[in-house]
Amino acid sequence: MDLRQLRYFLTVAEERRFSAAARRLHIAAPSLSQQIRALERDLRVTLFDRTPRGAELTPSGRVLAERARVILADVDRAREDVRSAGPSSREQVTLRVCTMADRVLDGPLRTVGHAVPGVEVFVTSSPGDDAVEAVRQGRADAAVVWSRPQEHRDLEGVVLGSVPFGVVLPQAHPLADRAEIPVTALAREPVVMFPRSPFSGIWQRSVDHLLPGGAQLGQVVVEPDLINSPEAMVRAVAAGSGVAPGILGVAERMGVGGIVVRPLDPALFLDLEVVWRRPARPAVRRLVDFLVEAVGDPDVLVSAPRRPPEEGAIRASGPPSRSRPPCS
């Protein structure tokens, strides 16, 4: 068992599908599968139940996942401490970014690696609430996540901004010609949603907004394999499975044909937050300041409702001095 195999194992555990984990790791899926099987042979246990719905951790796999997170966090911290002890070294900070937030914050995330003075930022993606767990368990220094439920508010955080969501419709839908879709017109529509558990902060808010009268039995269509694939969710709409929430200015650019994206009436905004553990290192404070200031810069991210759909962005939440609580 080596550290590379542990990282591969945890990525599969987080993605729950070998193909998605391989894409995230930038390796071939057969090579990833071979590494996991080699790890299982070394430990003489089965780590995943491989089913048509994905890879589920076995009891042995759950034990290893818990231990592996601690081991890898300690290794990463030791590496950072050693590097930061050298002359003229930049302090390292790890940032997890949850699904779809990377597309909303594309500009700042492309520059953050070397834009924070004295800090080297490593950005990795993470599905939904797993980003919060990575911070809580010390596997990441900070994370950008969608609105957190109450049970995740033990971490410090600040709202970066409010992201405008619309509704994704099949191109042939009777409502597709409207410039804006009243939510009352969606009362009988099936709604395609991502799985609830990794996105608990925004799942219920999205459903309640789209179906304010309440969902009927079977009206919300949850696809387990859509956990980390927004494109698959939009393709399901194009195939006629229903309508779906989608980020204005982002859903349109996924390259999926046969769909239209329209604003909602009333509008739906969902918050993006950056979270961290207290007390925060100075490097983490500088990272948080950079993200807050980047979102507040109108040249980087501006209010989406007044722009053409293909431009989309985020609505800033206010000046950093009023919105960010103390990090220390």
Side-chain angles (χ1 to χ4, degrees):
M1 179 171 62
D2 59 35
L3 293 177
R4 181 184 61 173
Q5 288 177 332
L6 286 182
R7 293 188 190 279
Y8 287 179
F9 162 74
L10 276 183
T11 303
V12 176
E14 290 173 356
E15 295 288 347
R16 299 184 177 91
R17 298 190 78 85
F18 277 82
S19 57
R23 286 194 298 271
R24 181 170 152 191
L25 292 164
H26 305 291
I27 64 173
S31 298
L32 175 60
S33 182
Q34 289 173 5
Q35 289 293 327
I36 297 301
R37 291 192 183 281
L39 180 59
E40 289 177 321
R41 287 195 300 271
D42 183 32
L43 296 174
R44 299 180 182 179
V45 297
T46 299
L47 298 171
F48 293 101
D49 287 326
R50 296 159 174 84
T51 72
R53 298 182 61 179
E56 299 293 334
L57 286 171
T58 63
S60 296
R62 287 193 290 272
V63 171
L64 180 60
E66 183 177 346
R67 297 294 181 87
R69 290 187 181 102
V70 175
I71 292 169
L72 292 176
D74 286 344
V75 170
D76 290 342
R77 182 65 65 188
R79 183 184 292 114
E80 292 173 14
D81 290 345
V82 170
R83 287 177 176 174
S84 62
S88 70
S89 295
R90 300 169 69 204
E91 191 171 358
Q92 295 186 339
V93 172
T94 54
L95 176 68
R96 288 290 187 102
V97 181
C98 69
T99 306
M100 289 302 293
D102 54 342
R103 306 191 189 201
V104 177
L105 299 175
D106 178 59
L109 292 178
R110 274 187 285 139
T111 62
V112 69
H114 298 280
V116 184
V119 180
E120 188 173 8
V121 182
F122 293 90
V123 181
T124 58
S125 61
S126 190
D129 297 341
D130 289 346
V132 175
E133 284 302 316
V135 175
R136 185 179 287 123
Q137 297 171 6
R139 293 181 286 119
D141 295 297
V144 176
V145 300
W146 294 102
S147 306
R148 290 176 291 161
Q150 192 61 41
E151 59 267 26
H152 288 170
R153 295 195 172 272
D154 55 312
L155 298 173
E156 289 298 320
V158 59
V159 175
L160 293 173
S162 298
V163 179
F165 277 67
V167 60
V168 185
L169 304 162
Q171 201 165 37
H173 195 281
L175 299 173
D177 291 337
R178 296 198 184 189
E180 193 173 68
I181 308 299
V183 294
T184 53
L186 302 174
R188 297 182 181 277
E189 296 288 339
V191 176
V192 179
M193 289 294 295
F194 39 80
R196 180 172 186 165
S197 58
F199 301 94
S200 55
I202 62 171
W203 195 96
Q204 194 63 54
R205 286 186 60 194
S206 300
V207 172
D208 289 346
H209 192 94
L210 291 172
L211 302 172
Q216 302 301 312
L217 183 64
Q219 189 174 12
V220 178
V221 181
V222 177
E223 300 287 349
D225 61 339
L226 302 189
I227 181 172
N228 207 28
S229 179
E231 289 86 354
M233 191 167 159
V234 175
R235 284 195 294 270
V237 173
S241 297
V243 303
I247 300 173
L248 292 175
V250 173
E252 301 94 322
R253 299 201 300 267
M254 290 183 181
V256 178
I259 59 103
V260 296
V261 185
R262 297 288 183 259
L264 288 162
D265 180 23
L268 171 61
F269 286 91
L270 297 174
D271 290 341
L272 273 182
E273 301 180 67
V274 57
V275 301
W276 63 91
R277 295 185 311 279
R278 295 187 70 170
R281 292 184 287 143
V284 176
R285 292 201 296 269
R286 291 197 290 274
L287 170 62
V288 172
D289 286 339
F290 168 82
L291 292 172
V292 173
E293 291 167 7
V295 171
D297 183 348
D299 293 329
V300 177
L301 295 170
V302 297
S303 180
R306 294 187 178 88
R307 294 175 66 90
E310 66 270 18
E311 294 293 334
I314 188 172
R315 184 174 64 182
S317 61
S321 60
R322 292 197 298 269
S323 61
R324 183 173 67 85
C327 288
S328 57

